[in-house]
Amino acid sequence: MIKLKKKFTVCERLNFSQGLIRIACILLIGVISTCHVAYGETEAIVSDKPKSQNTLSTLTDLIESMDELQKSLNGKKSDYKNAETDDKKAKITDQMNEIIRVLEARQKEFESIAVGTGVDDITSRPVKAFDLQSEIQEIFRPFIEELKNITSHPRELERLRKEITFYEKQLLTVQQGLVNAKELTTAATDQRVKKRLLLIEKEWQEKEKELTRQLTKSKFQLEQKIDSKKSIVKVVQGAGNDFFKTRGINLLLVVLTFFGVFILFRLFYWWVYKLKRSKPDTARSFYSRLFQVCYHFFTFFIAVSSSLFLLYSFGDWMLLSLSIIFFIGIAWTARNGIAIFWEQAKYMLNIGTVRDGERLVYDGVPWQVTSLNLLTTLENPELQGGLRRLPLNALTGLQSRPYAEDELWFPTRKGDFVVLADNSFGKVVTQTPEMVTLEVLGGCRKTYPCSDFLGQNPINLSINNFGVSITFGIDYDHQALVTREIPDILHKIISQEIVKEEFGSHLLDILVQFKEAAASSLDLLVFVKFSGQAAEYYYMIGRALQRITVEACNQHGWGIPFPQITVHNGK
């Protein structure tokens, strides 16, 4: 009970700390936003004082316009009562409907200017569609709305400027028409024509007032929009505040949830795998590997599902739709790699061309597959740092095979003496998966890429035993002794002298035999065998054999021939 009490207390402390951190972040954001809003309101109060006069003047004009429209509507009602035919009544009804429409528009304009915002913004309702195309469009609606919100201010300014240009052109046209009508009215002598011209002039004066009102309204709205325009810094700051208040926190929690669930499942798998593989020699069965592959897919699926469910619970449709589109894109992209995924799955199931515990050649170097997983481990015990971790796709095209117990993983070890195909002789100083370094005669070092070193077919003198042979020729005058007597004498002399050298203790065997009758000499083969401990004296042994055989020839009077040319003089 005491342990449970302690654990619960720790959890409470963690929850309490997290709550304090979240409250502190919200308070900080709220203070910054409040200061920002207060500062903006102060600026608005100072700057709106001279604008109130323009607003009241615009509202007065609208009141006068609505009064005139109401009088005109009342007059049309009287005309409707006095109309004698149905055609006149229908015509008057249409005129009344038009006056009512304009009057309602004036009332909305009055209310919009008075409150400083559009009435339609708070009365409009979203229209919900039920067809498939609209549902698909609904997924992309958040992105379009976000773009519209970002670009709403410059687009509104551009719309108002176009309206002002349009009304100015219309007003110029109407004013020119009034001038023409007044000239005709002054010049008219017929009272009927003059009366009709006066009516037209009055109607065009109403049009002039209407266009003037519209122009004034558009200019007033443009001034409001320009004055309310924020700098790019404030826009970014406001967008950042809004983001971190809502979607920023949601995004952070979603990312933490994804990695938290993924890491938790991976730790659980690692714990189970380590417990089951407590004995390293235990081979995994096919069903164990199948469970491993399924578990990897299950882990990823649970992590993604948890993140999407969290967004769904937050009601953040923007991030939810973005995540869904992202994962759909991944699935669509991955459809072309199904064959590759299947090959990698076969590796993990240990039924592919590379299998766990076998031997393969990678980059020209033999390796043992010690762990075949998402991250495959290759080892070579004879190399320094002989451990490589490869992704599964790096195994594509490779083949492994079972290996023999006495099979070499590398032809040399550190400290061995080797002779290469390019006649290089030296001591192996380092051998890593990338490079092999030799210390050659004189103490300098020669480096080979690992694969090139293997391509030199190295002869390892240290790993077992090695032999040194020389061919030595004597004169034909000793033809009777060269097959039996001279080899025995030379064998005895070499046996006595070679042990006096610093490498003599490592001598294993000596062989002296007649080799062949050459053109100018009778050749003897001298071969000595040493243990690998004398490998560093490889060239010294050859020179010692040459010296001992020459001294033996001097001691016994054996002539050493040189190449001869016989010239026949023809008659």
Side-chain angles (χ1 to χ4, degrees):
M1 295 297 293
I2 295 175
K3 293 182 179 179
L4 292 176
K5 180 75 173 177
K6 288 182 178 179
K7 290 183 179 179
F8 183 71
T9 305
V10 171
C11 293
E12 286 182 341
R13 289 178 181 176
L14 290 174
N15 294 332
F16 181 70
S17 301
Q18 293 174 357
L20 286 178
I21 293 171
R22 175 173 287 187
I23 292 172
C25 293
I26 294 174
L27 289 176
L28 181 60
I29 294 171
V31 169
I32 295 173
S33 301
T34 304
C35 294
H36 179 69
V37 172
Y39 178 73
E41 289 178 352
T42 304
E43 286 183 339
I45 291 171
V46 173
S47 61
D48 284 348
K49 286 183 179 180
K51 299 175 187 175
S52 60
Q53 299 298 330
N54 295 332
T55 304
L56 292 175
S57 176
T58 304
L59 294 177
T60 301
D61 292 340
L62 286 173
I63 288 292
E64 293 177 357
S65 175
M66 287 188 290
D67 291 340
E68 293 179 0
L69 288 172
Q70 189 64 43
K71 291 178 182 179
S72 178
L73 181 61
N74 294 333
K76 293 296 181 182
K77 289 181 180 179
S78 299
D79 294 341
Y80 182 82
K81 292 179 180 179
N82 299 327
E84 298 177 353
T85 61
D86 293 337
D87 293 338
K88 289 184 178 181
K89 288 183 177 181
K91 185 176 181 181
I92 294 172
T93 301
D94 294 337
Q95 294 175 353
M96 290 172 62
N97 291 332
E98 180 64 21
I99 294 173
I100 291 171
R101 185 189 66 77
V102 176
L103 184 60
E104 291 177 351
R106 294 287 181 275
Q107 291 175 351
K108 286 185 178 181
E109 290 178 14
F110 186 89
E111 185 176 357
S112 175
I113 295 175
V115 299
T117 184
V119 179
D120 293 337
D121 295 340
I122 60 175
T123 58
S124 60
R125 295 182 179 179
V127 179
K128 186 176 181 181
F130 297 97
D131 59 308
L132 180 61
Q133 183 178 0
S134 299
E135 293 296 331
I136 295 175
Q137 293 175 353
E138 190 69 21
I139 297 177
F140 296 94
R141 190 182 301 278
F143 307 106
I144 299 174
E145 290 179 352
E146 289 292 332
L147 292 176
K148 288 174 66 177
N149 291 334
I150 294 173
T151 60
S152 60
H153 194 82
R155 287 190 294 106
E156 186 66 19
L157 291 177
E158 183 64 23
R159 183 185 66 80
L160 290 173
R161 290 191 180 98
K162 288 182 178 180
E163 285 186 0
I164 291 172
T165 303
F166 173 77
Y167 289 139
E168 287 177 347
K169 290 181 179 179
Q170 293 293 319
L171 186 59
L172 289 175
T173 303
V174 172
Q175 289 175 350
Q176 183 63 40
L178 283 173
V179 171
N180 296 334
K182 287 180 181 179
E183 292 178 355
L184 292 174
T185 302
T186 303
T189 56
D190 191 342
Q191 293 298 324
R192 292 176 301 175
V193 174
K194 192 169 185 177
K195 183 179 180 180
R196 177 64 64 179
L197 288 173
L198 288 172
L199 291 175
I200 292 174
E201 184 179 345
K202 185 177 180 181
E203 291 178 359
W204 278 65
Q205 286 175 352
E206 289 295 329
K207 290 182 180 180
E208 183 183 14
K209 290 181 180 180
E210 173 65 20
L211 290 172
T212 303
R213 292 189 196 98
Q214 294 290 344
L215 183 61
T216 303
K217 170 193 162 186
S218 298
K219 288 183 176 179
F220 174 74
Q221 291 178 347
L222 181 61
E223 290 177 359
Q224 282 186 327
K225 293 291 183 181
I226 292 175
D227 292 336
S228 63
K229 183 179 180 181
K230 300 179 181 178
S231 64
I232 187 64
V233 177
K234 293 182 178 180
V235 171
V236 173
Q237 181 183 1
N241 290 337
D242 294 339
F243 177 79
F244 285 108
K245 285 179 184 178
T246 55
R247 292 198 176 95
I249 297 176
N250 295 343
L251 182 61
L252 178 62
L253 292 176
V254 167
V255 172
L256 292 177
T257 300
F258 176 84
F259 285 103
V261 172
F262 187 82
I263 293 173
L264 181 64
F265 274 78
R266 292 298 301 166
L267 289 176
F268 175 75
Y269 170 79
W270 175 81
W271 177 73
V272 173
Y273 179 76
K274 185 177 180 181
L275 182 65
K276 183 179 178 182
R277 297 280 290 177
S278 58
K279 297 181 180 180
D281 295 336
T282 304
R284 290 186 295 166
S285 63
F286 172 80
Y287 296 102
S288 173
R289 294 179 179 275
L290 181 61
F291 169 77
Q292 178 185 2
V293 174
C294 296
Y295 188 85
H296 289 319
F297 284 104
F298 178 75
T299 300
F300 181 77
F301 175 77
I302 291 296
V304 171
S305 301
S306 301
S307 303
L308 295 179
F309 179 78
L310 191 63
L311 287 175
Y312 178 80
S313 62
F314 289 157
D316 195 335
W317 178 245
M318 171 77 174
L319 290 179
L320 182 60
S321 58
L322 180 63
S323 301
I324 293 174
I325 293 173
F326 176 74
F327 288 116
I328 290 176
I330 291 178
W332 182 261
T333 305
R335 66 186 179 88
N336 295 326
I338 293 178
I340 299 175
F341 295 152
W342 169 241
E343 289 296 326
Q344 296 181 5
K346 287 198 298 184
Y347 289 141
M348 295 184 64
L349 294 174
N350 207 34
I351 56 176
T353 56
V354 178
R355 301 194 178 186
D356 201 357
E358 294 187 349
R359 176 188 177 111
L360 62 81
V361 177
Y362 182 76
D363 286 343
V365 180
W367 298 90
Q368 182 185 10
V369 183
T370 56
S371 176
L372 191 59
N373 209 323
L374 289 176
L375 198 63
T376 302
T377 304
L378 306 179
E379 289 186 6
N380 189 314
E382 301 296 342
L383 296 178
Q384 298 168 266
L387 178 67
R388 299 195 69 165
R389 298 179 182 90
L390 302 176
L392 280 179
N393 57 2
L395 303 179
T396 304
L398 299 180
Q399 296 179 353
S400 64
R401 62 172 179 82
Y403 62 91
E405 293 296 331
D406 58 347
E407 193 169 0
L408 292 177
W409 291 99
F410 206 75
T412 61
R413 298 186 181 93
K414 181 180 179 181
D416 289 352
F417 287 85
V418 295
V419 178
L420 304 182
D422 60 358
N423 295 323
S424 295
F425 169 78
K427 178 182 178 181
V428 178
V429 179
T430 58
Q431 54 182 33
T432 66
E434 292 82 20
M435 297 290 179
V436 177
T437 303
L438 298 182
E439 183 178 339
V440 297
L441 296 176
C444 61
R445 297 193 174 187
K446 190 174 183 180
T447 302
Y448 295 87
C450 196
S451 57
D452 292 349
F453 177 78
L454 295 176
Q456 288 289 331
N457 302 321
I459 300 175
N460 194 335
L461 304 176
S462 303
I463 196 171
N464 195 7
N465 304 321
F466 70 93
V468 179
S469 65
I470 64 171
T471 300
F472 193 82
I474 62 176
D475 195 86
Y476 266 92
D477 294 338
H478 312 291
Q479 181 176 347
L481 305 175
V482 73
T483 57
R484 299 289 183 180
E485 185 176 347
I486 292 178
D488 294 339
I489 296 173
L490 192 58
H491 183 279
K492 183 178 179 180
I493 294 174
I494 293 174
S495 301
Q496 294 174 354
E497 296 296 328
I498 201 73
V499 295
K500 298 178 182 179
E501 304 294 334
E502 54 185 320
F503 47 81
S505 59
H506 304 296
L507 179 65
L508 298 178
D509 193 12
I510 300 175
L511 175 66
V512 180
Q513 290 182 347
F514 174 73
K515 181 180 179 181
E516 63 180 349
S520 301
S521 63
L522 298 171
D523 293 340
L524 296 171
L525 173 65
V526 179
F527 175 82
V528 290
K529 183 179 180 182
F530 285 85
S531 63
Q533 297 176 357
E536 60 179 311
Y537 306 106
Y538 179 73
Y539 283 112
M540 188 182 294
I541 293 172
R543 292 193 296 270
L545 289 178
Q546 292 284 355
R547 176 177 54 81
I548 293 172
T549 53
V550 170
E551 290 177 351
C553 290
N554 293 336
Q555 180 182 355
H556 292 84
W558 299 331
I560 301 175
F562 52 87
Q564 300 176 5
I565 299 176
T566 302
V567 180
H568 296 276
N569 188 10
K571 294 182 181 180

